[in-house]
Amino acid sequence: MLNLARIRAITLDLDDTLWPIWPTIERADGALQAWLAEHAPATAALLTDPEQRRAIRAAVNRDLAEQAHDLTLLRREAIRRALLLAGDPEAHAEPAFEVFFAERQRVSLYEDALPALQHLAARFPLVALSNGNADVQRVGLGAHFHASVSAREQGCSKPDPRIFLAAAARVGVPPEAVLHVGDDPGHDVLGALGAGMQTAWINRQGSAWPHADVRPHVECDNLKKLCRCLD
């Protein structure tokens, strides 16, 4: 059961907790493809082949396995390799990535997200805690967060307990005084539990909890219900 008296700060996952991630990525991929069609047409043609895209990504993931926490690096390198493979200028990699990255920050919030952030931020310091590369300042939510901790910055990704401990340190509280909120049973819930935090699983899809031996402290299908649990 959730112990409300212990909570002095909240860490929040971003992708699929505050907004759906795949529409955002698909839109960013479309913006990238349109830019390549204008500036690097051979690369654009190459990337219309799903097999080529998968092969490039698989090779990058294999060759840079030790940097798996850095999605920005992996995406930029995939673009660079596609340009080289297609015979387009390698110098296009950085501006092409910036087109993707700018669109990646244009998220469509779940309708409960902004009211929940306003409600929670009035009561607790909030820390964004993400494996992804969304920037809460560029997204337009920075005013609600005391700090932001990313896998790229920390050199490790959820469920590694170190990233959770870093988030707790940003607000100067021990991990047992933190409630972590996220959608992923493994990355968010198990990771936070391993770091000694309380956990809230945001289960928007009504999925069955996949682990028999441990559970989140609270489960909600949206953030509005979570706010009610904390009142």
Side-chain angles (χ1 to χ4, degrees):
M1 295 291 293
L2 197 61
N3 185 340
L4 299 180
R6 283 173 48 192
I7 303 171
R8 293 165 52 196
I10 291 177
T11 55
L12 271 163
D13 174 56
L14 300 177
D15 295 328
D16 286 331
T17 297
L18 299 183
W19 57 75
I21 183 54
W22 287 113
T24 304
I25 296 300
E26 288 173 1
R27 193 166 55 244
D29 276 334
L32 171 62
Q33 190 70 8
W35 190 92
L36 290 171
E38 180 178 354
H39 300 278
T43 304
L46 175 74
L47 293 178
T48 60
D49 183 347
E51 290 297 326
Q52 289 280 11
R53 291 200 306 272
R54 281 193 288 269
I56 292 169
R57 290 172 185 169
V60 169
N61 291 341
R62 180 189 66 241
D63 296 345
L64 300 180
E66 293 184 356
Q67 303 297 321
H69 57 273
D70 190 343
L71 299 186
T72 293
L73 173 67
L74 299 183
R75 173 68 67 165
R76 186 183 283 115
E77 177 62 11
I79 294 170
R80 188 187 73 84
R81 292 193 186 191
L83 288 163
L84 290 174
L85 189 60
D88 283 320
E90 183 180 359
H92 284 334
E94 189 61 29
F97 172 77
E98 287 302 324
V99 168
F100 171 89
F101 192 64
E103 194 67 23
R104 194 261 188 267
Q105 310 308 314
R106 289 184 59 245
V107 301
S108 298
L109 297 175
Y110 291 119
E111 65 176 350
D112 59 309
L114 186 55
L117 286 174
Q118 293 168 337
H119 181 85
L120 295 173
R123 298 185 57 199
F124 305 99
L126 304 183
V127 180
L129 179 54
S130 179
N131 283 354
N133 53 8
D135 181 331
V136 292
Q137 300 297 333
R138 292 180 65 168
V139 166
L141 299 176
H144 305 292
F145 288 95
H146 180 87
S148 180
V149 174
S150 70
R152 184 185 189 205
E153 169 196 348
Q154 291 301 314
C156 60
S157 55
K158 298 180 291 184
D160 191 311
R162 291 175 295 171
I163 193 170
F164 293 94
L165 297 178
R170 289 292 182 90
V171 284
V173 301
E176 59 268 22
V178 177
L179 172 67
H180 179 69
V181 180
D183 72 287
D184 189 279
H187 290 167
D188 289 306
V189 178
L190 296 188
L193 289 172
M197 295 178 174
Q198 294 193 86
T199 59
W201 182 34
I202 305 303
N203 181 17
R204 294 183 183 275
Q205 307 304 319
S207 303
W209 176 251
H211 304 285
D213 54 339
V214 66
R215 292 195 61 85
H217 291 83
V218 65
E219 174 183 341
C220 301
D221 61 11
N222 61 64
L223 293 169
K224 184 177 180 180
K225 290 183 179 178
L226 174 65
C227 290
R228 289 203 296 267
C229 288
L230 298 178
D231 286 342

